[in-house]
Amino acid sequence: MTAVGTTFDPDVFAGLTPQQMRDKFTDDQIQEAINYSCYMDESPVVARDDFMEFCRYTSPDPDHPFDAAYSLYDVQPHHRLIAEAIDRVMKGEIQYLAISMPPQVGKSETCVRKFLPFHIGKYPWKHLIVGTYSSTFAEEHGDDVRTMINSEPYQRVFPHVALRQGSKAKDHMVTTRGGKVSFIGREGAGSGRPADGLLVDDLLKDDKEAASKTIRDASWNWYTRVAENRCHSMSWRIVIATRWSDDDLIARLTDPKNPYYDESVAKEWTVINIPNIMDNADIAKALGKKVGDVLWPERFSLELLKRRQRMEPAGFSAMHQGRPTPPDGSFYKQSMLTLYQHPSQYPKKVIQYMTGDLAVSKESRADKTCIGIWGLDENDELWLHWDLHWQRSASDEIVDQIIKMGSSYLIMDSWFEKGQLDKAIGPFLDKAMQEDEAYFSITRLPVSGNKGLKSKSIQGRMAQRKVHFPDFAPWWENAKEQMLKFTGSGDDKSDDFCDMIALIGQGLGGQTKPNSGHSNIVQFPKAGSFGWTKWAANRERKAAQNARLMRGV
């Protein structure tokens, strides 16, 4: 009998002594017989207990179909790292595992098409759920797993494993030992489908889906309301993904900056991020590489990756590095951030303004209110004061902060979005200002255009390095991170600080234009003029008076 796919006939060696074999066959033919024997008898035993060997054995090389030394599965260091983590999951050492990887480096092949059949072979009585972004893609996974289980190499590794007759649905299969495996899209229900293990593979299909808060919320709701409720206290969870968004499932589960973050939940998760270009010393060391090295140079060269990075920095940082925010920024660039290091550097002679992005709620997941003070110096440069109100606030707290900051800093004008101000605190603010005798101008800016368009003015000033931010302020790192993540699309997860700085650009832009009939637009003296100097002197005199009153002088 000749083995399929080769001219080698193992039967011709049957019953021959070693000497007879040497007399009748060449050394190459004898070696082929040895390889065949090893492939049929020894390799399956090894593959049964070693996940990486299972991956290799079940992907035979067509040119060497019965030689375990050859395989279409090209084992790379990151595959071994994943295999080690998966092995720890199967041993019960890790219960919650999140893996982020670039596309086309074996993520789904290893973690879905290989791992699931391997797990079924080891534990054919257990129930599994596999979730992904659509039912169509889920069925493709199911078809691949079924094909693998029915393949000859797999049956040599796990001869006792089979699927029940009639279990032909692509989205659901049952083993002869009673184990059930369900493949579900994020729109699907898990009713009646228990899970000893939950594997989630890319709940977000692409950057378009990731940009939609509606879809991100739907993905989260599927995980928390459907998938999690099919698990029990001993169930393992594995989430694998290409990081399209900083508000994806992995972020909501593990990122301290995400509004959904829960420390007690996050500490349960083991997170592994594998970038295409090594940017972390620990992960580089684990892969036997150094920072700056490429993950799989034979497949993706450094030159190719750098070209992709130049073409689309934000997408590259998300897809290839597992960091949805590019280090150089998207709408606001790192190079635009001009800093001052000490309060003493804040100019003495400035005209001060106030801007605010308002959100009336103290719920833990609500948007924050952000109110800032700006100084415009005689060189037409803006300085953001370090005294920033940036927190979740109730309406009465917002009113108190606006009055306090506007009065304390003797602002010349303030700008808020008309809809926010009127709907949230408008009537209360007007009344409180009268009662407190707080006399400063509040300009209601109309809501028009998208966020990117409304931010163009301040972006232009920042590009000219005419906007100074206090890097010593305790809130600065969070503000910087939000600015570098800001896209201007309107779908940014957090943009309260960015909306606040956009208002100063809009406000000053309105002042420099001819009067359009809006009586609430205040015309201020030209920076450096006699009028400007006189106004600044009056401001300082009033500030000194207020200071004496505060001290009781």
Side-chain angles (χ1 to χ4, degrees):
M1 170 179 169
T2 302
V4 177
T6 179
T7 57
F8 171 67
D9 184 356
D11 291 342
V12 300
F13 288 87
L16 297 180
T17 66
Q19 184 60 51
Q20 289 172 328
M21 291 173 62
R22 285 193 294 270
D23 292 340
K24 190 173 183 179
F25 300 101
T26 66
D27 290 344
D28 289 342
Q29 290 173 320
I30 294 172
Q31 185 60 52
E32 190 174 9
I34 295 172
N35 292 342
Y36 177 82
S37 176
C38 178
Y39 183 83
M40 297 298 288
D41 300 327
E42 298 177 20
S43 295
V45 176
V46 175
R48 198 171 301 148
D49 295 316
D50 188 314
F51 179 49
M52 276 290 91
E53 286 305 312
F54 172 83
C55 292
R56 295 187 71 258
Y57 188 80
T58 53
S59 299
D61 185 339
D63 294 331
H64 305 275
F66 298 104
D67 189 342
Y70 297 88
S71 175
L72 293 182
Y73 189 94
D74 185 4
V75 179
Q76 294 293 311
H78 63 278
H79 297 142
R80 295 196 181 279
L81 182 66
I82 293 171
E84 291 172 6
I86 285 176
D87 185 60
R88 293 184 63 193
V89 170
M90 295 180 67
K91 290 179 179 178
E93 297 173 4
I94 294 177
Q95 190 172 4
Y96 301 86
L97 174 65
I99 302 173
S100 56
M101 294 172 63
Q104 302 300 310
V105 295
K107 173 172 61 67
S108 294
E109 177 68 16
T110 302
C111 299
V112 180
R113 301 183 193 102
K114 296 296 187 183
F115 168 61
L116 285 174
F118 185 71
H119 189 283
I120 293 168
K122 301 284 286 186
Y123 310 105
W125 59 89
K126 290 195 173 184
H127 307 307
L128 306 177
I129 287 180
V130 183
T132 186
Y133 60 79
S134 74
S135 57
T136 300
F137 191 44
E139 289 178 1
E140 289 180 13
H141 280 334
D143 198 33
D144 290 337
V145 170
R146 180 184 298 278
T147 300
M148 170 64 73
I149 291 174
N150 290 330
S151 69
E152 289 186 17
Y154 182 88
Q155 287 299 312
R156 282 193 290 270
V157 179
F158 296 112
H160 62 288
V161 175
L163 300 177
R164 282 184 182 175
Q165 293 296 322
S167 175
K168 297 182 179 180
K170 291 183 178 180
D171 65 345
H172 189 68
M173 59 186 68
V174 183
T175 72
T176 53
R177 298 287 299 278
K180 300 176 182 178
V181 187
S182 300
F183 300 83
I184 309 173
R186 64 167 183 254
E187 74 282 1
S191 302
R193 299 179 179 185
D196 298 309
L198 170 65
L199 176 63
V200 179
D201 179 27
D202 278 332
L203 281 186
L204 298 175
K205 179 181 179 180
D206 50 30
D207 59 342
K208 184 177 180 180
E209 287 199 350
S212 169
K213 187 176 185 301
T214 300
I215 294 179
R216 297 198 305 270
D217 287 346
S219 301
W220 176 249
N221 289 340
W222 180 87
Y223 179 81
T224 56
R225 299 177 184 179
V226 178
E228 268 291 334
N229 284 315
R230 309 315 303 165
C231 297
H232 53 77
S233 59
M234 297 300 293
S235 302
W236 53 258
R237 287 84 157 168
I238 298 178
V239 175
I240 55 175
T242 294
R243 297 295 307 277
W244 292 104
S245 169
D246 65 344
D247 190 38
D248 60 11
L249 178 59
I250 292 178
R252 292 192 181 192
L253 289 169
T254 65
D255 186 356
K257 299 181 180 64
N258 194 282
Y260 288 80
Y261 176 78
D262 184 304
E263 183 178 3
S264 63
V265 171
K267 69 180 183 181
E268 295 176 329
W269 285 86
T270 297
V271 182
I272 300 175
N273 177 53
I274 300 176
N276 240 337
I277 301 176
M278 297 298 110
D279 57 2
N280 178 280
D282 291 335
I283 194 68
K285 182 178 180 181
L287 296 173
K289 299 177 180 291
K290 60 181 184 296
V291 172
D293 285 351
V294 173
L295 178 65
W296 196 345
E298 297 83 4
R299 194 176 181 93
F300 299 104
S301 68
L302 182 60
E303 180 183 5
L304 172 63
L305 294 175
K306 287 292 186 182
R307 183 166 69 248
R308 290 179 178 176
Q309 187 177 35
R310 290 191 298 270
M311 291 171 63
E312 222 289 86
F316 183 88
S317 184
M319 294 175 61
H320 294 274
Q321 298 300 103
R323 289 185 289 108
T325 305
D328 294 329
S330 179
F331 186 89
Y332 296 116
K333 304 294 184 183
Q334 179 80 42
S335 59
M336 296 179 181
L337 304 182
T338 303
L339 310 176
Y340 67 101
Q341 288 74 37
H342 194 271
S344 63
Q345 293 177 271
Y346 191 85
K348 296 290 190 295
K349 295 183 177 181
V350 291
I351 300 177
Q352 298 197 119
Y353 302 92
M354 177 168 60
T355 60
D357 181 68
L358 309 182
V360 183
S361 177
K362 298 194 73 174
E363 294 296 324
S364 62
R365 293 177 183 173
D367 292 336
K368 295 179 181 179
T369 286
C370 189
I371 305 172
I373 298 296
W374 299 87
L376 181 67
D377 69 15
E378 47 199 332
N379 297 314
D380 197 35
E381 298 194 11
L382 278 170
W383 299 72
L384 179 58
H385 201 280
W386 57 91
D387 186 6
L388 183 77
H389 176 82
W390 191 10
Q391 62 188 50
R392 296 179 179 90
S393 306
S395 56
D396 58 335
E397 294 174 315
I398 296 175
V399 169
D400 289 343
Q401 280 296 324
I402 290 176
I403 294 175
K404 175 185 175 183
M405 295 175 76
S407 301
S408 299
Y409 292 102
L410 300 173
I411 63 169
M412 186 170 190
D413 204 348
S414 61
W415 292 286
F416 300 87
E417 281 197 352
K418 177 177 173 56
Q420 286 185 347
L421 192 67
D422 291 345
K423 292 179 181 179
I425 60 167
F428 308 104
L429 179 60
D430 293 340
K431 182 180 179 181
M433 289 182 69
Q434 292 177 13
E435 293 175 350
D436 293 353
E437 297 184 353
Y439 301 114
F440 54 85
S441 175
I442 292 181
T443 300
R444 291 161 165 82
L445 295 176
V447 181
S448 60
N450 60 40
K451 290 180 181 286
L453 183 62
K454 290 187 287 189
S455 303
K456 279 293 184 182
S457 179
I458 192 65
Q459 183 196 47
R461 282 180 177 265
M462 289 172 60
Q464 298 176 45
R465 305 188 70 80
K466 285 183 170 291
V467 183
H468 303 260
F469 297 96
D471 75 344
F472 56 88
W475 46 263
W476 169 242
E477 286 301 320
N478 288 333
K480 179 176 71 172
E481 181 178 9
Q482 186 179 119
M483 283 193 289
L484 295 180
K485 288 181 177 179
F486 184 71
T487 65
S489 65
D491 285 316
D492 295 295
K493 174 173 63 69
S494 299
D495 54 14
D496 35 34
F497 182 86
C498 292
D499 287 346
M500 185 275 295
I501 68 173
L503 288 168
I504 189 67
Q506 296 176 68
L508 292 180
Q511 285 195 340
T512 59
K513 296 176 182 177
N515 196 319
S516 60
H518 296 288
S519 60
N520 59 351
I521 300 295
V522 178
Q523 301 295 326
F524 65 96
K526 182 179 179 181
S529 67
F530 176 75
W532 187 94
T533 303
K534 182 178 179 181
W535 184 92
N538 288 335
R539 184 197 64 79
E540 290 181 356
R541 185 171 60 256
K542 290 180 180 179
Q545 291 173 351
N546 287 342
R548 286 196 296 273
L549 289 173
M550 293 288 289
R551 294 194 301 269
V553 177

